[in-house]
Amino acid sequence: EEPQPAAVPSCPLPGRICDVVRSERPRSCCGMAMAGFRTSKYQVPEWHRRNAGIYYKAFASSEQSERGRAESQHLMKTAAASAHRAQETSKTTLGQRLQDIHFWRVELQKEIMELDAETNLLAAQKLRLERALDATEVPYSVVIDNLECRERRQPPDLVIDEVERQLLKEADLIRDIRDLLKRTIIQATTQIRSNRIQKENCELDWSDKVQTYHIDDKCVTYCTDSTNVQFHPSSVKFEENASTPKSWAQFSHDNISSAEQEKLASVQLRSLINNIIHDASEDLRMQRAAVNEAFDNRCRELDDAKFRLERHLEQILKDIADEEANIVNLKKAIRDKEAHLKVAHTRLFDRSFRPNIELCRDEPQFRLISEVEELTVFLEALKRKLMESEQNLKNLEETRMKLEKEIAVKANSIFIDRQKCMSYRVRYPVDLEVASYK
C-alpha cells in the first residue's frame, strides 16, 4: 500500500494592516461590482484599504503556493522512495520466485531424466521377456515332437511310462511359462505407457516452469531506464483461473510424487521380471534334466530288455538247432528200429511157414515175439518223442518269432527314444535366462 503524503502544516497569515468598515465606504463606491464603472476618484483611505487588500491577497497566494510546493516536494520524495522500495521489493520477490521456479524446474528435470532412464531399462526388460517368449518356442516344439514320435511306438512298448509323464509335465510347464511371460509383457507395456504419460506431464510442467522462469527473469531486468516498458492497465488484475502459491507448489509436488510412484512400480516390475525369467529358466532346466534322466533310464531299460531278449533268442536258436538235430536223430532211430522190426517180423513170418509139428513155440519164437513187442514199444515211444520234439520245435519257432518281433519292437523304441527324441532335444536351449539377452 502506497504511503500517504505528509500534510504540510499551514502557517498563520499576517494580521490585517487596516480594517475597512463596510459602512464607512463612500456611497459613490458601494460595491466591487461597480468598480469598473466608477467615474469618480477614490478617497485616500479607500486607496489604502484597496492596497492592503491586494497585499493580503498576494501574500496569501504566495504562502499557499509555497505550501503547495513544499507539499509537492515532500510528496515527490515520498513517492520516489515508495516507488523505489516497491520496485526493489518486487525485484526481491521476483528473485525469490525465480529461486522457487528454479528449484522445481531442477527437481522436475531430474525426475524426467530418472523416469526416462527407468523407462528405457523397463523397455530392455520387456525386450528380454519377448526374447524369452520366443526362446520357449523351440523347447515346446521339441516336447510336442517327442510326444508325437513316441506315439509311433509299437505295442507292447506303447506304454505311459515315466518319460511320457515327464514330457507331459514339461509341456504343461512350458505352456504355463509362456502364459506368464505374455501376461508380464502386457503388464510391462502398460507400465511403460504409464511412465511415458507421467514423463509427459512432468515435461509439460517443466516446460511451463522454463517459460515462466524466462518471463520472470526478464521482469527482474526491467527498470525505469528500460526502453521496452509501457502502460498495460488491463493487466492490473488477478485472473480467475490463477493458482495460489500453495496450489502451484502442490501441482509440481503431485507430478513428482506420481512420477516417483510410477518409477517405484517400474523398478519393482523390473525386479519381478528378473525373478520370473530366472525362475522360469531354472524350472525349465530342472524339468529338462528330469526328462533327459527319464529318457536315459528308459533307454537303459530298453537296452537291457533287448539284450535279454537277444540272449534268449540265441538260446532259442541253439535249442532249435538242437531240436532239429534231435528230430533227425529220432527219425534215424525210428528207421533203425523199424529195420529191426522188419527183420523180426520177417523172421516170425517166415517161421510161420514151418510145417506140421515144426510149428513149435520154441525159445526163438518167444524171443522174436518179445523182440517185436520190445521194438514196438520203443518205436511208439520214439514216435511220441518225435511228435513232442516236432511240437517243441514248432513252439521254439513261434518263440523265436515272438522274440525277434519283441527285439524289433525294442529296437524301434530305442530308435525313437534315442535317435529321434534325445538327438532332437540337443536343440533345446541350454538356459532361458541367457537366451533372453541374445
Side-chain angles (χ1 to χ4, degrees):
E1 184 178 355
E2 296 291 337
Q4 298 295 330
V8 179
S10 60
C11 59
L13 297 175
R16 296 180 179 180
I17 298 175
C18 60
D19 295 330
V20 178
V21 182
R22 185 179 298 274
S23 60
E24 292 179 358
R25 295 179 181 177
R27 296 291 182 182
S28 58
C29 83
C30 57
M32 295 297 294
M34 299 299 294
F37 302 97
R38 182 171 178 166
T39 59
S40 61
K41 296 181 179 179
Y42 288 96
Q43 297 296 326
V44 174
E46 185 180 8
W47 180 78
H48 284 294
R49 286 195 299 273
R50 189 172 183 278
N51 288 337
I54 292 173
Y55 297 155
Y56 178 77
K57 288 181 179 180
F59 182 79
S61 298
S62 177
E63 184 179 6
Q64 184 178 2
S65 176
E66 182 180 0
R67 186 170 61 251
R69 287 195 303 274
E71 290 177 354
S72 296
Q73 290 293 331
H74 180 74
L75 179 59
M76 286 188 293
K77 291 180 180 179
T78 304
S82 177
H84 181 71
R85 286 195 305 271
Q87 192 176 75
E88 290 298 323
T89 303
S90 297
K91 186 175 181 180
T92 303
T93 305
L94 284 172
Q96 294 176 353
R97 183 64 174 175
L98 285 175
Q99 292 179 359
D100 295 339
I101 294 174
H102 178 71
F103 169 77
W104 286 113
R105 185 184 65 178
V106 170
E107 291 296 321
L108 285 169
Q109 186 174 6
K110 177 183 176 183
E111 195 63 35
I112 289 170
M113 294 176 63
E114 291 179 355
L115 193 57
D116 185 62
E118 177 59 33
T119 302
N120 292 334
L121 292 175
L122 184 58
Q125 291 292 82
K126 176 175 172 286
L127 182 60
R128 286 188 62 201
L129 284 172
E130 293 172 349
R131 289 172 177 171
L133 180 61
D134 294 338
T136 57
E137 293 180 359
V138 174
Y140 190 69
S141 63
V142 169
V143 173
I144 297 302
D145 182 77
N146 290 163
L147 289 172
E148 291 177 353
C149 286
R150 298 189 92 245
E151 287 296 323
R152 295 194 291 270
R153 290 175 299 168
Q154 299 175 359
D157 281 2
L158 189 60
V159 296
I160 303 177
D161 52 5
E162 183 64 22
V163 176
E164 185 165 351
R165 283 191 289 268
Q166 292 297 332
L167 285 173
L168 292 173
K169 184 178 178 181
E170 188 176 32
D172 293 338
L173 176 63
I174 295 175
R175 280 192 289 266
D176 293 341
I177 289 175
R178 288 175 62 86
D179 293 339
L180 178 60
L181 292 177
K182 289 178 182 178
R183 292 196 303 270
T184 310
I185 288 174
I186 295 174
Q187 187 177 356
T189 303
T190 304
Q191 185 62 48
I192 289 174
R193 187 182 301 111
S194 300
N195 288 355
R196 289 174 176 169
I197 291 174
Q198 194 57 44
K199 176 174 171 279
E200 183 179 356
N201 293 336
C202 290
E203 286 175 341
L204 291 175
D205 193 5
W206 176 84
S207 178
D208 293 342
K209 293 287 187 298
V210 171
Q211 186 176 359
T212 304
Y213 187 88
H214 291 329
I215 292 173
D216 285 352
D217 186 54
K218 183 174 67 172
C219 290
V220 170
T221 61
Y222 287 153
C223 62
T224 56
D225 296 331
S226 300
T227 59
N228 55 345
V229 294
Q230 56 183 345
F231 290 106
H232 296 283
S234 61
S235 63
V236 188
K237 62 179 181 178
F238 288 109
E239 298 292 338
E240 293 181 358
N241 57 348
S243 62
T244 62
K246 183 177 180 181
S247 63
W248 173 81
Q250 188 65 37
F251 181 77
S252 297
H253 178 272
D254 292 342
N255 282 334
I256 293 176
S257 178
S258 298
E260 286 289 337
Q261 291 177 359
E262 296 297 338
K263 185 171 66 175
L264 179 61
S266 181
V267 171
Q268 293 175 348
L269 182 57
R270 283 197 298 112
S271 177
L272 177 62
I273 290 173
N274 278 331
N275 294 334
I276 287 175
I277 294 177
H278 176 74
D279 294 343
S281 178
E282 286 297 315
D283 292 342
L284 279 180
R285 184 185 61 80
M286 294 176 62
Q287 186 59 34
R288 175 174 177 266
V291 173
N292 290 341
E293 183 180 1
F295 264 117
D296 290 336
N297 294 334
R298 183 60 178 171
C299 287
R300 282 196 297 269
E301 291 177 358
L302 291 172
D303 286 335
D304 183 66
K306 182 172 175 289
F307 177 75
R308 291 175 180 274
L309 289 173
E310 290 174 346
R311 292 289 301 274
H312 283 293
L313 179 60
E314 291 177 0
Q315 183 64 39
I316 290 297
L317 292 175
K318 183 180 179 181
D319 291 340
I320 288 174
D322 294 340
E323 196 66 37
E324 288 176 347
N326 184 48
I327 290 174
V328 171
N329 293 330
L330 285 174
K331 289 181 178 180
K332 183 177 181 299
I334 290 173
R335 287 196 300 272
D336 292 341
K337 297 301 180 291
E338 286 178 346
H340 287 85
L341 184 60
K342 287 179 182 180
V343 172
H345 280 175
T346 302
R347 286 175 178 175
L348 286 173
F349 179 75
D350 289 342
R351 294 189 83 226
S352 65
F353 290 101
R354 289 177 296 167
N356 300 321
I357 195 67
E358 292 299 326
L359 190 62
C360 179
R361 299 177 181 177
D362 53 5
E363 184 63 26
Q365 186 73 18
F366 286 110
R367 185 69 197 103
L368 287 171
I369 292 173
S370 176
E371 182 183 2
V372 169
E373 290 177 355
E374 184 177 346
L375 289 172
T376 301
V377 171
F378 278 115
L379 278 173
E380 293 295 330
L382 288 172
K383 289 179 180 180
R384 285 196 302 271
K385 186 58 67 177
L386 177 61
M387 291 178 62
E388 291 178 3
S389 295
E390 289 176 347
Q391 184 63 40
N392 289 336
L393 180 60
K394 184 179 179 181
N395 293 338
L396 287 173
E397 290 291 343
E398 291 177 356
T399 303
R400 178 184 64 81
M401 293 176 61
K402 290 180 180 180
L403 288 175
E404 289 176 347
K405 183 179 179 180
E406 286 295 325
I407 290 172
V409 169
K410 296 296 183 293
N412 179 67
S413 299
I414 292 172
F415 175 77
I416 289 175
D417 286 351
R418 182 168 292 159
Q419 302 299 326
K420 289 290 187 180
C421 295
M422 295 186 70
S423 61
Y424 192 49
R425 290 183 67 83
V426 176
R427 299 178 55 190
Y428 204 106
V430 177
D431 194 342
L432 187 64
E433 189 171 7
V434 175
S436 65
Y437 288 105
K438 295 181 180 180

